[in-house]
Amino acid sequence: MSAVEEALERIKEQTGVEGYVICNYDGVVQRRSASILKGIAENIAQSMTKLAQSAKNVTRDLNPNDDLKNLRIKTSRKELVVSHDKDFIIIVIQEWTPAKEDQSHLQQSAT
């Protein structure tokens, strides 16, 4: 089993994973999970490829000796994790539920 296949198996086993897209650095989809429609996968690949390249450039601008490994984006409902290798980019889409804030510190003690 190839490294890509092993990585995909680990991704699929994670709780909350809704799907994945694997694309090249031109934003061309190489593989996608069945749960993501082709047009949506293409849109995700194009958008995330551009964003990942911009983030990589910013990282290098801040420190020329550093390199971007992962990019994590949280929305109100989803989380996207973008990881890249020398040949391809993996985008994982997963559910995200914000933790309920502990508001016990806001309660006033009755004295």
Side-chain angles (χ1 to χ4, degrees), residues 81-101:
V81 179
V82 183
S83 300
H84 63 92
D85 188 56
K86 63 180 180 147
D87 298 323
F88 56 87
I89 296 173
I90 300 176
I91 303 137
V92 177
I93 299 98
Q94 54 193 20
E95 322 176 331
W96 182 72
T97 306
K100 294 181 181 179
E101 292 185 29

Side-chain angles (χ1 to χ4, degrees), residues 25 48-60 63-72 82-85 89:
Y25 279 92
M48 291 298 110
T49 300
K50 291 175 189 174
L51 184 59
Q53 187 59 49
S54 293
K56 187 174 184 172
N57 291 341
V58 168
T59 302
R60 289 237 174 112
N63 183 347
N65 297 321
D66 208 354
D67 193 21
L68 180 72
K69 297 295 180 195
N70 296 301
L71 178 63
R72 214 167 145 175
V82 183
S83 300
H84 63 92
D85 188 56
I89 296 173

Side-chain angles (χ1 to χ4, degrees), residues 3 16 20 29 47 61 63 68 80 83 92-93 96 100 106 108 111:
Y20 63 86
V29 175
S47 298
D61 288 347
N63 183 347
L68 180 72
L80 288 86
S83 300
V92 177
I93 299 98
W96 182 72
K100 294 181 181 179
L106 299 176
Q108 295 179 346
T111 52

